[in-house]
Amino acid sequence: MAMELFNTLGRTVVPFIPIVENHVGLYACGPTVYHYAHIGNMRTYIFEDVLAKTLRHQGLVVKHVMNITDVGHLQSDADAGHDKLMVGAARENKTPWQVAQFYEEAFFRHCGLLNITRPDVVCRATQHIPEIITLIERLLEKGVAYESAGNVYFSVEKFPAYHELGQLVLDEQRATERVSHDPLKRSQADFALWFSTSKFPGQIMKWESPWGLGFPGWHIECSAMASKYLGERVDIHCGGIDHINVHHSNEIAQSECCFGHRWVNYWFHCEFLNVEAEKMSKSSGEFLTVDSLVDRGYDPCAFRLLVLGSHYRSALAFSWEALDDVATALQKARRRISSALENNSPPGEAFSALHAASYRRFFAALEKDLHTPSAMAEFWWVIKSNELTESERIDLLRSFNAVLDIGLFDTQATRLTSEQSDLIAARNVARNERNWAESDRIRDLLLAQGISLSDLKA
Ligand code: AMP
Ligand code: ZN
């Protein structure tokens, strides 16, 4: 069966047909590396990872490209506020380059903990300034962009299909629109492609351009990098739902005006993870990271399992109770697998029709708009069923785990024992009480067992 995906463009579930047979160009908006990625961000990256793994399981050759936003993303997704990297630099008394490097490394470390495969191409905006400038020049030549006091803006009225992607959320669009008046814009709906340093005199990351010293806008970065690595036609573009109205609508406007044709065929958007009905956000200052989970003794795979129990188009209300439940369930599943491995029948056993049917049900669920909750239901059936032989069970679980990647076959050595989890909890208490001697003693104890803890503030 071919994959079916919900396309935000058109808002229906449609069969996925790649542009080039058997190949998929997949672009994901990567993190803005001015702070840790929170577990909401990671939920989106987990789904993108499962999408890529499902497509690969179908035999398609996937080229997964992810950018790193290390300049140009202002505090508001529209053109207001300061560059987030400058905000991070001021917060930590570092240079924006140091901040970007630190949080990019932290991001991929967290991805590793969550079994998110590193994309085939990871590209930083700061390393693609010439490509960005070329794209802006093309937009100026086409008359859809204009220069104003060293800034370059895209003229939204030149792209009548601007609201096509965000069609069903126009009210929200109005609410998020135009947070501040920019006298340099011909229309307040226009957005910046290039910022001059006259507007941001303190900017540290800056480059020469035909319009003077400055730095690129966030939206043009994605158009430039996606087209460099995937060409002018892209199969699937991913991101969180917050990007539909501004960032992705802007990306489409620039790219389609530049290339003169449809740019992306399928838009894949993930709903939010919320904590106590509030959306997780970095600007609010309070957020959970993968390190926060590990510090509390959780196996990151339990979080991945929690995420996969929800559908990517539904919001997930995060709670510690829910994480506790899946962590326990994961431990039970692993114990069941260990016992199945011990009682495994000799190789060469013929598998039953039940085995084939279960395999089909699991992958059919994923192929139906990446329905991970149904796939997980099948997974639990396989764990619990008395009708399967142990080798059938193991064979199915190995196939499922290729996509779920929840560490089902991890050895005990890679997981925390309950004593180790208790030690981590005790250390958290010691740190909260500012009992540094005790906290260091426990840290050294864990280090001797090969477990290193991050003390970075989350
Ligand atoms: P950022 O680093 O803020 O650009 O966001 C990285 C990715 O996470 C983007 O695809 C966002 O759309 C997505 N995202 C942001 N907040 C959340 C959230 N609370 N839940 C799920 N995804 C999110
Ligand atoms: Zn983007």
Side-chain angles (χ1 to χ4, degrees):
M1 188 179 122
M3 184 96 192
E4 290 184 356
L5 284 176
F6 179 86
N7 192 350
T8 310
L9 204 58
R11 286 178 170 70
T12 42
V13 177
V14 283
F16 172 65
I17 303 162
I19 298 161
V20 178
E21 210 178 337
N22 290 327
H23 287 75
V24 185
L26 183 88
Y27 184 84
C29 291
T32 305
V33 285
Y34 76 114
H35 217 320
Y36 290 106
H38 58 56
I39 58 171
N41 302 131
M42 299 319 282
R43 180 187 194 231
T44 291
Y45 295 119
I46 289 172
F47 282 128
E48 293 169 0
D49 180 61
V50 173
L51 174 64
K53 284 175 173 152
T54 303
L55 293 165
R56 285 191 173 120
H57 181 269
Q58 289 188 312
L60 297 166
V61 179
V62 180
K63 184 172 179 186
H64 187 177
V65 178
M66 183 188 283
N67 77 299
I68 298 292
T69 301
D70 52 0
V71 70
H73 191 173
L74 302 192
Q75 282 164 303
S76 147
D77 282 358
D79 300 329
H82 293 282
D83 187 332
K84 290 186 178 186
L85 265 297
M86 289 295 292
V87 174
R91 183 186 65 230
E92 298 184 12
N93 207 15
K94 290 182 185 165
T95 69
W97 302 97
Q98 290 168 328
V99 169
Q101 190 189 356
F102 179 86
Y103 289 112
E104 183 185 321
E105 280 171 17
F107 173 71
F108 285 113
R109 183 169 56 78
H110 290 176
C111 286
L113 289 168
L114 292 171
N115 292 343
I116 296 172
T117 303
R118 190 179 168 93
D120 304 287
V121 177
V122 173
C123 39
R124 300 187 188 104
T126 50
Q127 291 174 344
H128 293 78
I129 302 297
E131 288 86 349
I132 293 168
I133 290 178
T134 304
L135 212 56
I136 298 174
E137 284 176 326
R138 283 174 72 179
L139 291 168
L140 283 164
E141 274 163 30
K142 289 187 184 261
V144 295
Y146 58 93
E147 196 187 338
S148 181
N151 297 329
V152 183
Y153 294 102
F154 182 91
S155 175
V156 167
E157 66 172 28
K158 297 281 168 52
F159 186 64
Y162 185 79
H163 291 291
E164 198 184 354
L165 188 73
Q167 56 175 314
L168 293 183
V169 272
L170 284 177
D171 285 347
E172 203 180 306
Q173 165 87 10
R174 271 180 219 113
T176 56
E177 254 171 15
R178 315 309 134 222
V179 283
S180 66
H181 181 85
D182 185 343
L184 299 177
K185 290 182 181 179
R186 285 184 194 158
S187 156
Q188 291 305 302
D190 298 347
F191 59 88
L193 303 170
W194 188 263
F195 293 108
S196 75
T197 41
S198 61
K199 187 169 172 186
F200 294 98
Q203 177 70 7
I204 291 172
M205 293 169 138
K206 52 195 171 195
W207 294 264
E208 286 295 349
S209 80
W211 317 286
L213 209 54
F215 62 101
W218 171 40
H219 320 296
I220 195 75
E221 297 173 2
C222 283
S223 294
M225 288 185 274
S227 56
K228 172 165 181 182
Y229 295 103
L230 295 172
E232 294 184 359
R233 291 179 196 272
V234 175
D235 286 300
I236 307 176
H237 192 313
C238 311
I241 48 150
D242 54 328
H243 287 347
I244 297 173
N245 277 319
V246 180
H247 184 49
H248 290 164
S249 294
N250 292 357
E251 282 188 41
I252 292 174
Q254 303 155 160
S255 305
E256 298 198 355
C257 282
C258 196
F259 308 143
H261 54 71
R262 171 71 80 209
W263 175 48
V264 169
N265 284 349
Y266 301 86
W267 285 90
F268 178 90
H269 286 109
C270 299
E271 256 285 356
F272 270 5
L273 175 144
N274 302 309
V275 178
E276 287 163 3
E278 299 267 325
K279 115 175 156 59
M280 285 280 290
S281 100
K282 286 178 232 180
S283 50
S284 70
E286 291 286 319
F287 59 91
L288 295 170
T289 67
V290 176
D291 285 333
S292 327
L293 306 186
V294 173
D295 281 354
R296 290 196 188 205
Y298 289 98
D299 175 345
C301 283
F303 176 67
R304 186 169 167 114
L305 181 58
L306 178 71
V307 165
L308 296 182
S310 63
H311 190 233
Y312 77 93
R313 284 197 288 120
S314 304
L316 171 65
F318 175 85
S319 73
W320 294 106
E321 293 74 30
L323 188 59
D324 282 338
D325 289 348
V326 289
T328 308
L330 181 60
Q331 274 179 2
K332 281 191 189 150
R334 282 174 175 152
R335 275 203 292 275
R336 183 70 192 84
I337 290 167
S338 299
S339 109
L341 284 166
E342 278 162 24
N343 302 313
N344 203 357
S345 36
E349 175 196 306
F351 291 154
S352 68
L354 266 183
H355 169 279
S358 172
Y359 183 92
R360 267 199 310 275
R361 280 196 300 269
F362 179 86
F363 286 102
L366 292 180
E367 284 158 9
K368 193 98 189 138
D369 193 26
L370 210 70
H371 209 287
T372 53
S374 303
M376 290 317 297
E378 188 60 33
F379 163 81
W380 290 116
W381 180 79
V382 169
I383 290 284
K384 290 175 188 161
S385 168
N386 294 325
E387 298 169 65
L388 293 166
T389 66
E390 296 299 36
S391 9
E392 285 177 325
R393 192 184 329 276
I394 289 165
D395 184 75
L396 285 169
L397 293 173
R398 281 201 199 283
S399 304
F400 297 177
N401 198 50
V403 174
L404 300 177
D405 230 337
I406 44 176
L408 289 177
F409 294 87
D410 282 1
T411 59
Q412 191 65 36
T414 62
R415 303 197 303 270
L416 295 175
T417 63
S418 52
E419 290 77 25
Q420 288 165 342
S421 301
D422 289 349
L423 277 175
I424 291 170
R427 183 166 172 273
N428 284 340
V429 172
R431 284 179 67 207
N432 286 341
E433 290 168 353
R434 309 182 76 78
N435 183 348
W436 307 122
E438 176 64 359
S439 143
D440 288 352
R441 188 190 71 78
I442 301 177
R443 188 196 53 203
D444 294 345
L445 214 61
L446 287 164
L447 213 53
Q449 298 173 31
I451 297 159
S452 70
L453 297 180
S454 154
D455 277 344
L456 303 164
K457 225 177 145 204

